[in-house]
Amino acid sequence: MDAGNARIKILDLQLNYQSEIDLSSLTVTHPSDYLNDIAVDDNGNIYITVAAYYRESDGKLYFIKNGSDEITAIMDKCTGVVTSYGGKAYFANSLEYVDNFGVSGNHYIYELENGKITSSYTLPYEYTPMGIYADNDGIYCSSASCREISRVDLNNMQVTRLYFEPIKLSESKSEYKEYGSLISDGEAIYLIESMSGAIYKLEKEK
């Protein structure tokens, strides 16, 4: 995702430029809102999110069907992160706009297939997911408010806390941490802690 130039750049596995998809039709009206996250499912369909923290009209989840130039909004008044696994995509909303009065503390994981929402799962109150990753063991989320990494079981939707750092009321600015993006190499999960720029490595239980 090349947010500054409103495009998706497509590279080969040697990181050589191949082509690009123009996203200039996605109007982001507030200067602090921006194109944020991207996922591609097993069928080549693309999902795009917008980081819309200042203007609710910017907040959308977009879908581009493989082989098409048409960009469709799946969901309005939302911002969050997206990933894909097993032919499906999963979107977690970092915030949810409610009318014109601000945002709620309700956070969900939405399951999507071919651009359609097929089901949703409720995360703990005020969870504020900032990273998401899925594999055969479940859906992993990082929480900014709870400062934890959790796994959602795909079979029973049980949320299990895997790791967390308690938040102290007296934390100084230098002590504050903000959990961000998640990624995995199949053996371990990596978490970006955006305030310090550190990367955490969490090894899976054998």
Side-chain angles (χ1 to χ4, degrees), residues 149-166:
I149 297 175
S150 308
R151 181 179 62 231
V152 181
D153 190 302
L154 288 170
N155 296 313
N156 57 22
M157 294 306 115
Q158 180 75 30
V159 178
T160 302
R161 174 189 279 175
L162 301 179
Y163 177 81
F164 84 108
E165 294 184 75

Side-chain angles (χ1 to χ4, degrees), residues 24-35 50-52 55 58 62:
S24 59
S25 63
L26 304 185
T27 303
V28 180
T29 58
H30 194 282
S32 296
D33 294 341
Y34 54 92
L35 300 173
V50 178
R55 189 160 294 159
D58 288 343
Y62 291 102

Side-chain angles (χ1 to χ4, degrees), residues 27-34 50-60 76-79 95 97 99-100 103:
T27 303
V28 180
T29 58
H30 194 282
S32 296
D33 294 341
Y34 54 92
V50 178
Y53 296 104
Y54 296 91
R55 189 160 294 159
E56 67 177 61
S57 60
D58 288 343
K60 297 181 189 297
D76 295 320
K77 297 183 178 181
C78 65
T79 190
L95 58 83
Y97 285 97
D99 298 325
N100 297 314
V103 298

